[in-house]
Amino acid sequence: MTTIREVAKKAGVSVATVSRVINQNGYVKDSTFEKVQEAIKELNYRPSAIAVSLNNKKTKTIGLILPDITNPFFPELAKAVEEVANNYGYTMILCNSSGTVKNEIDQIELLQSKYVDGIILASDSFVEKDYKDVNLPMVLLDRGANPKNSSIRVNNFYGGVLATEHLLEQGCIKIAHLAGPKHVFTGQQRLEGYRSVVESMKWFDEKLVAYANYQLDDAITATKELLNKNKGIDGIFAGNDLMAIGCIKAIHSFGLSVPEDIAVIGFDGISLTNMIIPELSTIKQPIYEMGKEATNQIIKEIEGNHKESRDIEFDVTLIQRESTNRKRRPGLEDGATFKDNGNR
Amino acid sequence: MTTIREVAKKAGVSVATVSRVINQNGYVKDSTFEKVQEAIKELNYRPSAIAVSLNNKKTKTIGLILPDITNPFFPELAKAVEEVANNYGYTMILCNSSGTVKNEIDQIELLQSKYVDGIILASDSFVEKDYKDVNLPMVLLDRGANPKNSSIRVNNFYGGVLATEHLLEQGCIKIAHLAGPKHVFTGQQRLEGYRSVVESMKWFDEKLVAYANYQLDDAITATKELLNKNKGIDGIFAGNDLMAIGCIKAIHSFGLSVPEDIAVIGFDGISLTNMIIPELSTIKQPIYEMGKEATNQIIKEIEGNHKESRDIEFDVTLIQRESTNRKRRPGLEDGATFKDNGNR
DNA sequence: CAGGATTGTGAAACCGGTTACAGAAAGGGG
DNA sequence: CCCCTTTCTGTAACCGGTTTCACAATCCTG
């Protein structure tokens, strides 16, 4: 690798001048500028990002910590972060925390010692007391608010309301909720949304709430149990899309069908939802937007002099698809399956 | 941030001694060692990774370049890379190339100037002449071989054979192939595998091969076209799982069902395949293993003195699920749908 | 044309570590 | 007790840039 001193020698100037040419600051005579540029080109010189970082204490790198990149919610987020970061000349280090607080803390330590300029923490545990000595910009995604850090999230409570009311509108008269883990912020909020709608209804019963860990397999087990313990369930609001898919699989395993026997709605709006059959109704979060905004915010905090932290709440939207479509279109027999009649 | 000099002052020793304590090399008297350790603890000192890197020209960072993290094949790969890298004390920078060669080259340049120690290039374009002046370890994933770099891949040709033969065994008598993009290595190989099995058959016709870009939407369009142009197709081998899902959706839109009317098999073995209904048969690649091995190899090349590059080929396996299950179980009417009879 | 402002350039300190080297202290053998 | 190892520690150079400061050259103005 060529160094700035070699360039200086070749161009017959000092390293200071070369540095000025590279950063286009300070006074440099036109003819000198040319000479240096030429030397740079000839030697195929690129300044060492490390040496630069050692001076200005910026690495142009941000860390993204998330529970598990294989959870379909996160790739879209990661993509947004990476793209926006790249646009601003930053690169992104990705860390899977597996959702445990210990890993999260380790990852934060590691990122700090690698001198990332900021961290986006998209993990979901509640704990925050342990991050006390993180003194670099950090934005929180999908977590409880915190006076010190900016946070990005959606109105999970309202989403829960929306999902539940949608099932009611579709004529469901006994609606269960498959909630996310108890210690997870988003899961709690969505559950509260559901509860606020149904708790006054006469059919409501605490047994209609089950918990699972936001994963498919766990959701299948939990749904089977739910259906065994309760008679007459005709709608399920699942805490996320992955679990909604688990619901559907469990329902099918009982010989029932979706949405005819039981309508199912998820939460998140991952792209998976329109890949499965039946296509899944869901409460959509603007995932890409959230990642984009988180990245904008972290970069603003890194580069801005004033570090005003902000709380940004995005809206969720109901996406209605087949899995909750119980009001059949006129002209179709009840129970018939929809078909696009292609052009064959 | 505290520096090594502050620690030295606090412990009443020189920076050299502190450095010796940190790296546990050289001679240090026990009592001095203790003193220094104590000072380190008290000041909560962590050496700057940047300063260290400046000396030894290692950043303990590897870059992973892939076409698109939202393609479900890649998160699993990324996870493997990240986990193994972490185990060895490395962190991972993630880059989406969007599959274009220009971006790839830009990303490689960027990673080089950030002094990553090695790169895993999991992208799929053919071009390699442009990487001539990459002089740091690089392993190629799912690409054509290259004498200079190690490569990891599966036997895509054999996978194509396996998929096609499986459809034949299931009684299909006119099998189409929805191939990946023409310029992509894996797509070509899989197509060749298919072709080798069917080209001698009397029903074979070039019109049974369609191309799409490995994406869902594109696959839907291509499949519709395929079905319009050919009569009597009863089996489709899709170049990857995402396209297989597109196939199924297209088939449904024609009012046909899978696997009764048309059997469908994919390629990759992403976890999505057992989420959809019907569950998708596929040719499974050991994705996690591949990522793990790629990372092991890159670290070996980084840390090892000898840089023997290796070509590693993994085996693919046929996973049979509902989407190709045309040999009904005894006792079930033809055309009936399978149901687990839960315990309700 | 004198003298201040502006422009152009280089030497050297600095960022925060590692390490070669040299010298001091302690230990061991004759 | 002297001398030679071995153990211990500090000084200073170095990694590859940026930046301050001082000084030189040029320009402008009265």
Side-chain angles (χ1 to χ4, degrees):
Chain A
M1 211 72 306
T2 53
T3 73
I4 198 171
R5 285 162 228 272
E6 298 175 57
V7 175
K9 187 179 292 176
K10 174 136 205 161
V13 297
S14 73
V15 294
T17 302
V18 177
S19 177
R20 288 192 194 99
V21 170
I22 293 166
N23 301 299
Q24 315 242 21
N25 60 13
Y27 293 111
V28 180
K29 213 201 301 180
D30 281 1
S31 61
T32 314
F33 192 95
E34 302 283 317
K35 261 194 310 185
V36 172
Q37 285 262 304
E38 206 161 313
I40 288 176
K41 195 140 294 169
E42 251 171 83
L43 297 175
N44 193 25
Y45 167 73
R46 291 177 131 282
S48 154
I50 296 187
V52 174
S53 294
L54 188 58
N55 277 293
N56 61 201
K57 280 108 158 38
K58 300 270 168 191
T59 53
K60 287 276 189 174
T61 304
I62 64 177
L64 173 64
I65 301 180
L66 33 79
D68 181 5
I69 187 71
T70 63
N71 176 330
F73 179 85
F74 292 108
E76 201 168 334
L77 188 75
K79 188 179 192 183
V81 172
E82 200 258 349
E83 285 183 357
V84 176
N86 259 20
N87 282 348
Y88 286 97
Y90 285 74
T91 51
M92 177 189 87
I93 290 182
L94 184 72
C95 299
N96 285 298
S97 69
S98 312
T100 75
V101 177
K102 182 180 175 325
N103 279 340
E104 262 177 35
I105 294 174
D106 286 353
Q107 308 270 19
I108 291 177
E109 288 254 312
L110 181 66
L111 289 175
Q112 274 201 103
S113 78
K114 287 230 171 181
Y115 280 61
V116 299
D117 297 335
I119 293 179
I120 298 176
L121 186 54
S123 198
D124 45 20
S125 50
F126 258 139
V127 189
E128 49 190 71
K129 59 179 189 297
D130 293 305
Y131 307 135
K132 56 183 184 305
D133 46 53
V134 178
N135 47 8
L136 76 176
M138 184 155 90
V139 345
L140 272 27
L141 225 139
D142 257 0
R143 289 177 156 252
N146 163 331
K148 202 176 135 202
N149 301 105
S150 292
S151 71
I152 311 276
R153 62 171 166 291
V154 295
N155 193 329
N156 288 286
F157 177 89
Y158 177 65
V161 170
L162 218 53
T164 312
E165 285 181 343
H166 172 64
L167 290 174
L168 287 172
E169 266 166 37
Q170 291 298 310
C172 295
I173 53 173
K174 190 165 186 182
I175 300 170
H177 179 44
L178 181 53
K182 289 181 189 175
H183 65 280
V184 171
F185 177 74
T186 54
Q188 296 238 344
Q189 298 293 303
R190 293 169 197 176
L191 168 58
E192 289 312 313
Y194 159 80
R195 200 191 292 279
S196 77
V197 174
V198 300
E199 66 188 345
S200 61
M201 306 208 164
K202 52 191 167 302
W203 50 260
F204 179 67
D205 177 344
E206 277 299 332
K207 290 209 305 278
L208 287 169
V209 176
Y211 295 88
N213 65 359
Y214 273 160
Q215 300 291 319
L216 184 85
D217 290 344
D218 211 24
I220 293 178
T221 316
T223 305
K224 285 182 178 169
E225 208 169 310
L226 209 49
L227 294 179
N228 280 329
K229 282 203 298 207
N230 299 275
K231 297 288 162 203
I233 290 176
D234 60 356
I236 301 182
F237 163 35
N240 74 354
D241 290 332
L242 228 42
M243 295 204 299
I245 294 172
C247 280
I248 293 177
K249 293 181 87 83
I251 291 166
H252 281 187
S253 79
F254 276 72
L256 301 172
S257 57
V258 176
E260 289 77 9
D261 298 311
I262 304 181
V264 174
I265 186 168
F267 202 115
D268 280 352
I270 60 180
S271 57
L272 204 55
T273 51
N274 60 24
M275 293 185 184
I276 65 162
I277 298 159
E279 293 192 355
L280 187 67
S281 296
T282 188
I283 303 296
K284 182 179 171 60
Q285 308 191 45
I287 306 178
Y288 190 93
E289 285 302 313
M290 291 166 73
K292 186 174 156 185
E293 199 47 42
T295 314
N296 280 331
Q297 177 65 25
I298 198 84
I299 290 176
K300 198 178 291 170
E301 289 185 22
I302 290 168
E303 299 188 346
N305 19 29
H306 62 308
K307 40 194 64 204
E308 59 160 324
S309 66
R310 302 189 301 156
D311 279 12
I312 304 171
E313 186 170 276
F314 281 89
D315 286 333
V316 293
T317 49
L318 168 69
I319 308 282
Q320 177 173 2
R321 298 213 186 88
E322 294 169 50
S323 73
T324 56
N325 193 346
R326 307 184 91 200
K327 300 188 171 163
R328 303 352 233 100
R329 287 187 233 153
L332 274 176
E333 257 75 58
D334 195 308
T337 314
F338 287 146
K339 307 230 156 101
D340 258 52
N341 52 341
N343 39 4
R344 199 189 206 183
Chain B
M1 213 60 317
T2 53
T3 72
I4 197 170
R5 286 161 227 272
E6 298 176 56
V7 175
K9 186 179 293 176
K10 174 135 205 160
V13 299
S14 74
V15 294
T17 302
V18 177
S19 177
R20 288 190 195 100
V21 169
I22 293 165
N23 301 300
Q24 316 242 20
N25 60 14
Y27 292 111
V28 180
K29 213 203 297 178
D30 282 0
S31 61
T32 315
F33 192 94
E34 303 282 320
K35 264 194 306 184
V36 173
Q37 285 262 304
E38 206 161 311
I40 288 177
K41 195 141 296 171
E42 252 171 83
L43 297 175
N44 193 23
Y45 168 73
R46 291 176 131 282
S48 154
I50 297 186
V52 174
S53 294
L54 189 57
N55 276 293
N56 62 202
K57 281 108 159 40
K58 300 270 168 193
T59 54
K60 286 275 189 178
T61 304
I62 64 177
L64 173 64
I65 301 179
L66 33 80
D68 181 4
I69 187 71
T70 63
N71 176 330
F73 179 84
F74 292 109
E76 199 167 336
L77 188 75
K79 187 178 192 182
V81 172
E82 199 257 350
E83 285 184 356
V84 176
N86 260 20
N87 281 348
Y88 286 98
Y90 284 74
T91 51
M92 177 188 85
I93 290 182
L94 184 72
C95 299
N96 284 297
S97 70
S98 312
T100 75
V101 177
K102 183 183 175 325
N103 279 340
E104 263 177 34
I105 293 174
D106 286 352
Q107 307 271 21
I108 291 176
E109 288 253 312
L110 181 66
L111 289 176
Q112 274 200 104
S113 78
K114 288 231 171 179
Y115 281 62
V116 299
D117 296 335
I119 293 178
I120 297 176
L121 186 55
S123 197
D124 46 20
S125 51
F126 258 139
V127 188
E128 50 190 70
K129 60 179 188 300
D130 293 303
Y131 306 133
K132 56 183 184 306
D133 46 53
V134 179
N135 46 9
L136 76 175
M138 184 155 92
V139 344
L140 271 28
L141 224 140
D142 257 0
R143 289 179 157 249
N146 164 331
K148 203 176 134 201
N149 302 105
S150 293
S151 71
I152 311 276
R153 62 169 165 291
V154 296
N155 193 330
N156 288 287
F157 178 88
Y158 178 65
V161 171
L162 218 54
T164 313
E165 285 180 345
H166 172 64
L167 289 175
L168 287 172
E169 267 165 36
Q170 291 297 311
C172 295
I173 52 173
K174 190 164 186 183
I175 300 170
H177 178 46
L178 182 52
K182 289 182 187 173
H183 64 280
V184 170
F185 177 75
T186 54
Q188 295 239 343
Q189 299 292 304
R190 293 167 196 178
L191 168 58
E192 288 313 314
Y194 160 80
R195 201 190 292 277
S196 77
V197 174
V198 300
E199 68 187 345
S200 60
M201 305 209 166
K202 52 191 166 305
W203 50 261
F204 179 67
D205 178 344
E206 278 298 333
K207 289 209 304 277
L208 287 169
V209 176
Y211 295 89
N213 66 358
Y214 273 158
Q215 300 290 318
L216 183 86
D217 290 344
D218 210 25
I220 293 178
T221 316
T223 305
K224 285 181 178 170
E225 209 168 308
L226 209 49
L227 294 179
N228 280 330
K229 283 204 297 205
N230 299 275
K231 299 285 163 203
I233 289 175
D234 60 357
I236 301 182
F237 162 36
N240 74 353
D241 290 332
L242 227 43
M243 296 205 298
I245 294 170
C247 280
I248 293 177
K249 293 182 85 83
I251 290 167
H252 281 187
S253 79
F254 275 72
L256 302 172
S257 57
V258 176
E260 289 76 9
D261 297 310
I262 304 182
V264 174
I265 185 167
F267 202 114
D268 279 352
I270 60 181
S271 56
L272 204 54
T273 51
N274 60 24
M275 294 186 182
I276 65 164
I277 300 159
E279 294 192 352
L280 186 66
S281 297
T282 189
I283 303 296
K284 182 179 171 57
Q285 307 191 45
I287 305 177
Y288 191 93
E289 285 301 314
M290 291 166 73
K292 185 174 157 187
E293 200 47 42
T295 314
N296 280 333
Q297 176 65 23
I298 199 82
I299 291 176
K300 198 178 292 172
E301 288 184 23
I302 290 168
E303 299 188 345
N305 19 28
H306 62 308
K307 40 192 62 206
E308 59 161 324
S309 66
R310 303 189 301 156
D311 280 12
I312 304 172
E313 186 170 276
F314 281 89
D315 286 333
V316 292
T317 49
L318 169 69
I319 308 282
Q320 177 173 0
R321 299 213 187 86
E322 294 170 50
S323 73
T324 56
N325 193 345
R326 309 186 91 202
K327 301 187 172 165
R328 303 353 229 97
R329 284 190 235 151
L332 275 176
E333 256 74 61
D334 195 309
T337 315
F338 286 147
K339 306 231 156 100
D340 258 51
N341 51 339
N343 37 3
R344 202 189 205 185

